[in-house]
Amino acid sequence: METICKTVEETIDAGRRMAPTLCRGDIISLEGELGAGKTHFVKGLAEGLGVLDLVSSPTFTVIHEYEGTAFPLYHMDLYRLESEEEARSLGMEDCFAAGVTVIEWGDKFPALIPDSAQRIRFQVLSETNRELQFSGKQK
């Protein structure tokens, strides 16, 4: 499945619309170049899950945990990590069953992403337009 987002708000809304389909244990890998809209998508997803905190990119902290109304949202960013071992040392797998886990740059270490994960590929079409390509587990 694909969708075109013509504005940042449409990208946020795509995440907001996906949120009600998710349940504890779901994993989503977000893939695409810098500035493609991955963090904006997570902002909408968090809002749809009832997260009240301001969502920001976890590039430097690597994992942010947000409390949603039904379960936590774990927002990870693998961009700055150098190795699969470094990523494993974060305890990513502990998050997988505890809530919904969203991993930016999940394609950097594909062996760490479970086969059951949904993948969303963000492609920059123009200065404002983004194409989101959904694959894997969908409800």
Side-chain angles (χ1 to χ4, degrees):
M1 183 178 93
E2 302 173 349
T3 189
I4 302 291
C5 298
K6 296 179 181 176
T7 64
V8 168
E9 184 54 44
E10 285 185 16
T11 303
I12 292 169
D13 191 52
R16 198 179 294 122
R17 287 191 320 269
M18 182 181 198
T21 71
L22 300 174
C23 57
R24 187 182 305 271
D26 283 345
I27 301 163
I28 305 165
S29 175
L30 305 181
E31 304 165 1
E33 63 190 86
L34 279 171
K38 297 180 292 293
T39 301
H40 289 300
F41 181 85
V42 177
K43 288 177 181 181
L45 193 68
E47 183 182 317
L49 292 173
V51 171
L52 300 177
D53 296 325
L54 180 64
V55 172
S56 62
S57 177
T59 301
F60 294 101
T61 56
V62 186
I63 300 176
H64 285 170
E65 179 181 352
Y66 300 101
E67 197 57 48
T69 50
F71 41 76
L73 169 65
Y74 296 95
H75 182 197
M76 303 178 185
D77 189 327
L78 305 183
Y79 181 73
R80 295 203 181 278
L81 301 184
E82 298 294 325
S83 69
E84 203 171 284
E85 293 75 33
E86 186 179 9
R88 280 188 200 282
S89 73
L90 298 173
M92 292 173 56
E93 294 171 348
D94 295 335
C95 300
F96 291 167
V100 168
T101 304
V102 181
I103 306 166
E104 294 193 37
W105 300 95
D107 52 338
K108 187 169 183 179
F109 304 113
L112 299 180
I113 308 302
D115 292 338
S116 62
Q118 182 167 340
R119 296 175 187 275
I120 306 173
R121 178 92 185 137
F122 290 71
Q123 184 174 353
V124 176
L125 301 177
S126 71
E127 188 176 321
T128 57
N129 292 0
R130 305 294 188 259
E131 180 180 65
L132 281 58
Q133 301 168 342
F134 297 79
S135 62
K137 180 184 173 186
Q138 294 181 29
K139 298 176 182 176

